[in-house]
Amino acid sequence: MILEKVINRIEIQSEYKDFVDKYIDNILTEFKGKIHSIYMCGSIPKGTAKPFKSDADFTIVCVNPKDIDYERLSNINDIFLKKYPVLAKIDTTICSIDDVLSKPNEWGFWVKIICVCMYGHDIGEKVPPIVISSEFILDLNRETKEEVNRIHRALSNATDNMLKTRYIKGYSKRLIRALYSLVLEDTGVWQDDISTMKNAILNYCEIDFALVEYLYDCYSDGNDVLVEEFLGVADEVYSYFENALNAMADSRTSFD
């Protein structure tokens, strides 16, 4: 079964259009000649964004990611967040053309399936069709452990309540996405709606439903969540995920 693109048509709501246009123009000016293409994913390009709750998610593809100064990029994001308070957060990911083409089940999947091209030539068109398989799921989660450990450390060390809430929501979302990847062979489609993901997990995963519902509640409203309690649940969920992924890898090896 071949994965279809999540966003087939760009439908940006009026309250976000000025931001998107000016943000892209600013990025292109700041890093002139260094950017191949710019992409978005999530609710803003889909036209389903919720003011003051939705994030702006960009991906920059370039020849060499080192050409993009992360500190300058972070400063640009901070400026635009202040100018457009309708946004909850701006996340900008950077990858190379080689990443997209040489890792079709990782960066290729991200650009081809999850994102939509906002500027430049869509390099996702050069990525071969992505077939849902255990190999794809394993490749897709190659860096999940590292990402989860990074968020875990950041949350453990956070002292600011706003940061804690942001990390809890982000951590919850990352774990729900990881669990959803386990059921791709059952659903046959990638979802970017967290509620739909949660329901699919409950239908197909043999995991304690209460753990999944807890994560979803923390993603929906990360305020007043006890960090220690959350980390305990997160560790339990990740342990389930890792065991399921290892079982998938072992099963695949036995058939090779």
Side-chain angles (χ1 to χ4, degrees):
M1 193 176 299
I2 295 175
L3 275 176
E4 299 293 332
K5 200 169 185 67
V6 171
I7 303 172
N8 293 311
R9 186 172 62 181
I10 300 171
E11 296 185 10
I12 299 174
Q13 295 141 286
S14 58
E15 56 262 56
Y16 296 96
K17 192 160 189 338
D18 183 66
F19 155 70
V20 171
D21 290 342
K22 289 184 178 176
Y23 183 84
I24 292 174
D25 285 345
N26 195 292
I27 292 294
L28 291 173
T29 300
E30 188 73 20
F31 303 106
K32 188 174 182 179
K34 298 177 179 178
I35 291 174
H36 172 273
S37 44
I38 299 176
Y39 304 78
M40 287 195 78
C41 66
S43 59
I44 290 180
K46 285 179 69 177
T48 59
K50 297 178 180 178
F52 309 104
K53 292 185 177 181
S54 295
D55 301 339
D57 297 295
F58 292 90
T59 296
I60 294 173
V61 175
C62 52
V63 174
N64 184 3
K66 291 182 180 179
D67 287 339
I68 309 300
D69 187 299
Y70 282 81
E71 187 173 346
R72 285 163 65 192
L73 183 60
S74 179
N75 289 338
I76 291 171
N77 288 357
D78 288 342
I79 290 169
F80 273 84
L81 267 178
K82 291 177 182 177
K83 187 174 181 180
Y84 296 92
V86 69
L87 300 164
K89 186 174 59 167
I90 301 174
D91 283 329
T92 307
T93 304
I94 304 169
C95 68
S96 70
I97 295 173
D98 184 62
D99 285 334
V100 177
L101 298 180
S102 66
K103 301 175 182 178
N105 287 346
E106 298 167 67
W107 282 109
F109 159 77
W110 179 257
V111 170
K112 184 180 184 70
I113 304 300
I114 304 296
C115 296
V116 61
C117 188
M118 305 297 295
Y119 163 82
H121 178 70
D122 186 0
I123 197 169
E125 294 176 355
K126 294 185 178 181
V127 177
I130 297 176
V131 179
I132 299 173
S133 64
S134 56
E135 179 184 7
F136 164 68
I137 295 168
L138 291 167
D139 281 349
L140 183 62
N141 287 292
R142 196 173 296 279
E143 297 180 2
T144 298
K145 185 172 185 176
E146 182 181 336
E147 293 173 5
V148 164
N149 286 340
R150 176 180 55 79
I151 304 174
H152 193 292
R153 287 193 301 271
L155 177 55
S156 298
N157 296 324
T159 55
D160 179 82
N161 286 333
M162 187 177 295
L163 267 182
K164 288 180 183 178
T165 298
R166 180 182 297 180
Y167 287 138
I168 285 171
K169 292 186 69 172
Y171 200 170
S172 300
K173 182 178 181 179
R174 187 65 189 89
L175 288 172
I176 291 172
R177 285 185 61 198
L179 290 174
Y180 182 77
S181 72
L182 298 176
V183 304
L184 268 178
E185 290 181 289
D186 298 296
T187 65
V189 62
W190 183 267
Q191 294 285 351
D192 64 350
D193 177 75
I194 299 298
S195 176
T196 305
M197 282 187 173
K198 179 201 72 169
N199 292 333
I201 293 165
L202 296 180
N203 284 334
Y204 296 110
C205 272
E206 295 179 0
I207 187 173
D208 185 342
F209 288 4
L211 296 177
V212 182
E213 293 286 2
Y214 178 87
L215 284 182
Y216 180 73
D217 288 342
C218 289
Y219 167 75
S220 300
D221 184 3
N223 293 309
D224 302 321
V225 174
L226 297 176
V227 171
E228 187 174 344
E229 178 185 77
F230 174 82
L231 289 176
V233 172
D235 287 345
E236 191 172 349
V237 170
Y238 183 77
S239 178
Y240 169 88
F241 166 77
E242 190 170 47
N243 289 336
L245 207 63
N246 289 337
M248 185 183 295
D250 291 342
S251 175
R252 183 170 174 269
T253 302
S254 67
F255 284 105
D256 289 344

